[in-house]
Amino acid sequence: MMNANLEQFASDNYSGMCPEVLEYMLQANQGHAPAYGNDSWTQKAADLFRELFETDCEVFFVFNGTAANSLSLAALCQSYHSVICHEMAHIETDECGAPEFASNGSKLLLGKGQNGKLTAEAIETIVTKRNDIHYPKPKVISLTQATEVGTLYTIDELLAIHEIAQKHHLRIHMDGARFANAVVAMNKTPAELTWKSGVDVLCFCGTKNGMAMGEAIIFFNRQLAEDFDYRCKQAGQLASKMRFISAPWLGLLETGAWFRNASHANQCAAYLENQLLTIEGIELMFPRQANAVFIKLPESVIQALYTKGWQFYTFIGAEGVRLMCSWNSTQERIDQLVADIREQLESTQLRSVRQTLTSGQ
Amino acid sequence: MMNANLEQFASDNYSGMCPEVLEYMLQANQGHAPAYGNDSWTQKAADLFRELFETDCEVFFVFNGTAANSLSLAALCQSYHSVICHEMAHIETDECGAPEFASNGSKLLLGKGQNGKLTAEAIETIVTKRNDIHYPKPKVISLTQATEVGTLYTIDELLAIHEIAQKHHLRIHMDGARFANAVVAMNKTPAELTWKSGVDVLCFCGTKNGMAMGEAIIFFNRQLAEDFDYRCKQAGQLASKMRFISAPWLGLLETGAWFRNASHANQCAAYLENQLLTIEGIELMFPRQANAVFIKLPESVIQALYTKGWQFYTFIGAEGVRLMCSWNSTQERIDQLVADIREQLESTQLRSVRQTLTSGQ
Amino acid sequence: MMNANLEQFASDNYSGMCPEVLEYMLQANQGHAPAYGNDSWTQKAADLFRELFETDCEVFFVFNGTAANSLSLAALCQSYHSVICHEMAHIETDECGAPEFASNGSKLLLGKGQNGKLTAEAIETIVTKRNDIHYPKPKVISLTQATEVGTLYTIDELLAIHEIAQKHHLRIHMDGARFANAVVAMNKTPAELTWKSGVDVLCFCGTKNGMAMGEAIIFFNRQLAEDFDYRCKQAGQLASKMRFISAPWLGLLETGAWFRNASHANQCAAYLENQLLTIEGIELMFPRQANAVFIKLPESVIQALYTKGWQFYTFIGAEGVRLMCSWNSTQERIDQLVADIREQLESTQLRSVRQTLTSGQ
Amino acid sequence: MMNANLEQFASDNYSGMCPEVLEYMLQANQGHAPAYGNDSWTQKAADLFRELFETDCEVFFVFNGTAANSLSLAALCQSYHSVICHEMAHIETDECGAPEFASNGSKLLLGKGQNGKLTAEAIETIVTKRNDIHYPKPKVISLTQATEVGTLYTIDELLAIHEIAQKHHLRIHMDGARFANAVVAMNKTPAELTWKSGVDVLCFCGTKNGMAMGEAIIFFNRQLAEDFDYRCKQAGQLASKMRFISAPWLGLLETGAWFRNASHANQCAAYLENQLLTIEGIELMFPRQANAVFIKLPESVIQALYTKGWQFYTFIGAEGVRLMCSWNSTQERIDQLVADIREQLESTQLRSVRQTLTSGQ
């Protein structure tokens, strides 16, 4: 754990709380406050979300993203329904069956699509493939914005998917683990990226945006939110000292930190991308559009970087790595990382050249 | 909400973070740390629990008490089993069916007993009442220590229940929403109150003890903890920035604040009890043994106190109130409360005397 | 099992198939038929139910009563909702938590009422007792007609309950384990006893009415039946050779056997009641209104009857027995049973008289 | 439905009851019998299964295959575990999420393999792919014998899979929808095909073997069967008039009909295969090893056969058809089918020849 405190590129959830979040948490810690969300912080935070999204949406606060996604999906379908998502969707690959548990059995139907994005065509193929009672009935489309590979659904892509959704009576769920980064990158309003594009419910992640913990579930389709507060309570997602989740949210929204943090992370990723591309032979796995850079690296280089204490995820089933930037990434560390990658790559190439020579070819 | 910041007697979860918890949270906020509990804070906190309980127990951290109780109960039985608890048990009266949800249908079988405590006899009556396949098979006994009405199970009572448990192959779950207060009040070691008395799993509440949020689930019966980390993840109870739950726990345990906070709350309740008993006609509903005082008050007095801005819960189905003390209760506010109760009671009695006179009797 | 084939009084589900059911099953066994209900028998049986209930209801066939009740209840509420039923309701006392399992956690809230019947007042008390998020929200009222103790809800009682249901937005589920017996006894139409009295869904039991197995779930509120066929399939209640459930139903409905069988059972129970009342000291536990007679008997008499090979259930928690008549009960066996009870009771009384004398009082 | 009674090739569950099943059902219909399996038929049937499998296994009877598979899988894993099965496994493609529902969320992990069979390698690849907490932990391997495409796992293949299972602590579930056909085809004992090859639990299908409805769940690993009777009851799978499921089973086992029925179906399929192969251009999709023949046919031919009233399933996502033989298939109808296929194919080929000519090439 010697490098534990060193800034890293594994995930934006390795970062701590940003100053604004901390400040509001300290304020909220003054004196006593009613429990279970009946406090002024929670009321204010919910109102600010309605302001931010320019609509009278229903807002709920839960502890983490697993709960936000699985409970909101459960609110959109019954156990014998199914949810269509990309084969690389986080709800499929990294939630340990949480959606199936919360919904008591809803199946995830996996679609394909370049750059981690579902296409309207892929969705229709899945919906029309089966319509008999022996297969769970598709009811929801789940989209991740920004996607798991750091790409973005354009407004046109969202609208095309919405058209298919309406045609087949499907609801649209948006996993907003990095929604703030998407808003910043696309230069669109939160409203344009969600309900104006047909999204029924959004899970807006605060943890990756600079909070200690806490997600907001935002129902633009208010009917689907009926009794959702009971669902949260029953699932163990109603915080007694709610103010410690809602006040930090207020800190992000009221000060604009939510936007600044995402901007900083995106800019760091852009800078990292540009620096990496100055290295010969570096190949991007996906277009860099938000705060993550995916590149291919030889196994030996990956190991060497780990040995030097760098932290990042290798991309499943590929000789690639995910480099995630956060609200508190710094140019200095990015430069160090790029330098180490450059050095490792060159020595590797040198080795292979030597081997070629000695092998007398 | 004008009195929101005023210290109150509604619940210990109206209080904020104690200084030690805050200090450790600030320390944990330095730099980056691995997610999902792979950080040094989490490791240290778990080790300190093993030290505190003098045994090699399995420790898991979740967000709140609803989750701690329902997930640990689900680990102790299957959906077609049942859990025996007191009819006033929190898991029955205030969890919105969370245990039934987490276990996918386990029934709670309600037992009676004075002062909110299950008796070995009551348990045996329930276990032996039915043994046919049409009724869920009892598998777990759930005890709350301190109980929902602020009373305590003695070691002898716990051992008697353990004997019944062994006789009928039942496991013992302890809801420790106010476990710290029980340890302090009984002058016993945490070990004596738990595994040495036959408890298989304890839910140790940090929130009411001075944290912002966070509970520890402690399995003394390690076999029952198999794959429990997967259960937590699937149920949306694995914090990505786990350090913000585990570091505060470390703050409570390493500094001894967990004990001091509980002692203070208990002492305040004792002082409140004594002061109240100086008022003529005040009647305790249950013996005051931990940090809660339950008294009967006329409806008119209750309303008058609410009007004055006092916050407390009225006890379901009775003309009584629950006055809960916390780690940050103060003698000054207690004196004010007692004074107001005294005043209201006297004016009420005066009114009734006047009515008697004017009615010429 | 020596008396296994002897007619008994334990339950109407100890009886076999009535002739009409068998005849239709044999007809249905000719040749091949499409699976999963896409056969002509299933279509016809559903149509006959619509005719019988004089409305365009949705009809589904499942294997047994546990499934019919728990799946239909699950269709009426979510996991965080609750179902109000009588404390003696079969879904509470004899389904091993099936409703909680099928609904993934819905709680049953128990009401009281004389003769096994919920009252509108009892329901309102439960609904208004709690309205906070920590307690599951009441959404359904479940009534058993005829009740578990052989009594009947009058039309007026049903309408009073319907009024409360509308006032509090509750849906009404009817457990019709012995619905046919109720129709016969009340001399009302099936429509009057159900949707005309506000019932949303009825579980009509075929097994106790003379089938080998099979229940019909009838949704008068068609909205609540949306995708219910998927629910049945997912829960393992879609028969592949459906004709062997639907054809027997057709046998009951087309020939009127459903009514004749119930009439016979009721008449036998009336005859049994009258004969029993000729015995001195016999006391009815509940008014005999359908096909069951409940009487109190001394423990010694109960044991003596068991020894003689009689089969019946002792009534939980009472020195009483339930004597259930069926479509194939006979006067001869009833007379034998009454004779044996009379003989046992007299010898018991004789014994006690002797004891009194010898004790010299 | 005009051809409903005509023998067909859609599925063996389009067939009715075989004579032996009917005879035992009629015998069981004499007089009264205790409910819920406490009758002599059920006891005898269970004993015969123990005899047939030459071991003291635990036997349970449920209504259909969906329930048998999903409840037994639920007994083998928890909600946060996963089940490895072939991508064409019935539990994945045709149970509408029943396994996920019964287990409250267990995920199915799909493996590949020729001829619908999982390989030990494919299983190991899945097990070793992920071992982090964010992905459900593999706990069960589910094999279908005979497979969904009518092929068979050899004893060697089963033993190789068992080796992998032991290495990774996985349990083995066998979907025996057509287990009888497998036993007949492989000329091995039921014991050799199951527990002697490492199978923990088998779902033995009676419906497709000549019953009206009813499956047997056979636990060779008795520990896994603990309280399974409660699970069946809670899930709505305990028949009150159990004798009508167990007596037919006795009919199949005691008379040897289970073997004769399967032999006849397999022989019919072999005959059908041989006749089809005399047609020029007929191509088998999978080796014919049990009672199903899969062949490719042009869309136009498929439609023409449907028009003539033939019933069969087209194979998902392929220009192919599944022709399933049953205990009551006849050579006469097989000859008719083959003749019609031959005629349709030739006229099609003729048409295409004509087109070629007229197009002057």
Side-chain angles (χ1 to χ4, degrees), chain D residues 137-166:
Chain D
K137 187 176 182 176
K139 196 80 172 177
V140 185
I141 300 168
S142 179
L143 306 172
T144 310
Q145 181 79 314
T147 73
E148 288 74 11
V149 294
T151 55
L152 299 165
Y153 283 93
T154 66
I155 295 289
D156 286 348
E157 289 170 330
L158 291 175
L159 292 175
I161 289 173
H162 183 215
E163 201 178 332
I164 291 294
Q166 287 183 301

Side-chain angles (χ1 to χ4, degrees), chain C residues 331-346:
Chain C
Q331 185 177 325
E332 181 196 6
R333 287 287 289 169
I334 295 175
D335 291 337
Q336 292 171 5
L337 175 65
V338 173
D340 283 346
I341 293 176
R342 186 189 307 275
E343 181 193 344
Q344 292 304 323
L345 269 176
E346 285 171 350

